[in-house]
Amino acid sequence: MWEALMAQPAGTAWLVATGALTNVALLFSTFPEVADHIQGLSIMGGAIGNKFTDATLGHVEGEGERFGNETRWAEFNIYCDPEAAQSIFSNAVLACKTTLVPLDLTHKVLATTAVQELLLNGSSGGPERENLVIRQLFRDLL
């Protein structure tokens, strides 16, 4: 990650974390200069609840509303390495550069069949050319 990020002009690269933050935290602790070098950090993680969005997150009988996907309150990406998450959230340089996309928000975007086909084929409605490997990868991930 260090090599790829530092190869970009200062203030242009974004790091997008869609899983546990272990490697991201290790990157910033080993190479603190990366925090100054990047433009931003986006993290898919955490859960806010309390009607942050109108997405239905679930209800656990006898426990009430569920905000997390790992426990009633905890979202997996933060839950599996809370120390890594804490080191990132407490990094003063990263504080103004970090965008958190919590589980509540991800429940607002559904990858319907139409969305999957748009990712695969583009907006023309049909394959104008061979599907790019990256298009197939995104569709397969869904």
Side-chain angles (χ1 to χ4, degrees):
M1 280 191 286
W2 177 87
E3 188 174 319
L5 291 169
M6 297 305 282
Q8 304 307 309
T12 62
W14 275 81
L15 180 57
V16 179
T18 59
L21 298 173
T22 306
N23 290 338
V24 176
L26 182 61
L27 171 74
F28 290 121
S29 68
T30 305
F31 305 105
E33 69 275 12
V34 176
D36 286 314
H37 187 77
I38 65 171
Q39 181 177 355
L41 168 64
S42 293
I43 298 171
M44 185 179 73
I48 297 173
N50 200 26
K51 310 258 185 267
F52 174 69
T53 71
D54 60 358
T56 302
L57 295 178
H59 188 86
V60 179
E61 182 138 354
E63 294 183 22
E65 191 173 9
R66 180 181 184 103
F67 304 124
N69 61 357
E70 187 64 22
T71 72
R72 183 173 172 219
W73 302 104
E75 181 276 332
F76 178 81
N77 294 341
I78 305 299
Y79 177 82
C80 67
D81 194 345
E83 292 84 5
Q86 197 277 334
S87 75
I88 290 169
F89 295 142
S90 64
N91 184 317
V93 176
L94 291 174
C96 64
K97 298 180 174 193
T98 300
T99 301
L100 184 67
V101 181
L103 185 65
D104 319 53
L105 193 56
T106 65
H107 280 249
K108 295 291 293 176
V109 181
L110 301 177
T112 62
T113 302
V115 169
Q116 292 176 36
E117 290 304 313
L118 183 61
L119 280 172
L120 183 62
N121 298 315
S123 61
S124 67
E128 296 174 350
R129 61 196 183 299
E130 274 188 53
N131 293 323
L132 299 173
V133 173
I134 192 71
R135 287 182 173 273
Q136 186 66 49
L137 173 67
F138 283 141
R139 182 169 183 247
D140 291 348
L141 285 171
L142 297 173

